[in-house]
Amino acid sequence: MTAIPRPVPRITARGWLLPAALAAATLLSACSDRAADTVAAPSGAATPAIPAQPAQPAAPVGGVQPIQPVQPVQPVQPVQPVAPISPVTPVQPIGPAAGSGQPATATGTLAPAAATREVTLNAQVSSPAGLTLRVKGVEMGPDATVLTVSASFSSQMTGSTKLAFNETYLDDGQGNRLPLKRPDGNRDLNVRTGDTMEGRLVFLGAVSPAATQLQLVVNDGNDGSNIVGPGLRLTLPLKPAGAS
C-alpha cells in the first residue's frame, strides 16, 4: 500500500502568540489567588502589649544629719599680768646662847644624827660540840647594832657547823629583840672544822639607851651539844648611855 503523506501544519507568527497570551493570563490569575490567600490567612494571635509599670519614688537617703551651725569663736582671754617676785628675805642669824661664848649658827641646819655608841669587849663562850665564839666589840647605831666577832670550830664528828641554823638575835633586856641580818653569801654562817671565821655580824634595830647589857643568843632552842647548830648564850656588858 502506498502511504499518503500528510501535509505538516505551519505555525505562523500570529498562530503562537494566542496560546502564549492565554498561558500568561492563566499564570497571573493563579498568582493573584495565591496572594489573596496569603493575605487573608491570619497569623497567630497577637500578644497584647504589657502596660508600663509606674516608676517607684526614690527612697530618701537615711542617716544624713543636718549641718550644725558653726560655733562662734570664743574671744581670747587677756593675759594676766605676772606678779612681781618678792625679794628673798635674808635669814636672820640666831643669837648666841647666854654665857655660851659660841658663834651664832644659821637657821635651817639639819639636826645631828644620833651618836653611835661603841664598846670594846673581850667576851667568849664555848659549846660541847666544839664551837667557840668571841665578841670583841659592840657598835650601837640608830638603825642597827654591829658585833665584831670571831668563831672557831673543831670537831671529829662533823666537817662543819652553823651559827644561824636556828634563830640568832640580840636581846637588850628592855623588851627589844634585834634579829640577825643574814649575809647573802653565807646565810647560815657556816664554819668548817679547823677554821676560824672573823667578821662583823649586823643585827637590825637600835639598843635601848637604858640597856646595861646585851645577851647574844645563837641557835635559839638548841643545846650546846648539837653539832649541826650548837646553842650558845653570851652576856655582853654595856655602859649606860651618858655614864662616865
Side-chain angles (χ1 to χ4, degrees), residues 160-181:
S160 64
T161 192
K162 300 174 181 178
L163 275 72
F165 180 73
N166 282 0
E167 186 179 7
T168 296
Y169 59 89
L170 280 177
D171 189 338
D172 67 357
Q174 303 296 318
N176 299 314
R177 177 180 288 191
L178 314 182
L180 172 69
K181 181 181 179 182

Side-chain angles (χ1 to χ4, degrees), residues 4 19 23 41 49 68 81 85 88 103 128 131 135 171 178-179 182 197 238:
I4 301 173
Q68 299 295 329
I85 300 174
V88 178
L131 176 64
V135 178
D171 189 338
L178 314 182
R182 295 172 180 261
M197 181 181 67
L238 303 176

Side-chain angles (χ1 to χ4, degrees), residues 69-75:
V70 178
Q71 298 296 328
V73 178
Q74 298 296 327

Side-chain angles (χ1 to χ4, degrees), residues 7-30:
V8 177
R10 298 181 62 184
I11 299 174
T12 63
R14 181 175 294 181
W16 66 268
L17 287 175
L18 182 57
L22 292 175
T26 301
L27 180 60
L28 289 175
S29 178

Side-chain angles (χ1 to χ4, degrees), residues 124-150:
Q124 180 173 304
V125 65
S126 298
S127 71
L131 176 64
T132 300
L133 181 62
R134 182 184 175 195
V135 178
K136 303 176 183 179
V138 182
E139 182 179 318
M140 292 166 283
D143 299 315
T145 302
V146 181
L147 301 185
T148 302
V149 303
S150 65

Side-chain angles (χ1 to χ4, degrees), residues 226-241:
N226 189 314
I227 60 175
V228 177
L232 294 174
R233 289 179 178 266
L234 179 61
T235 300
L236 308 175
L238 303 176
K239 292 181 180 180

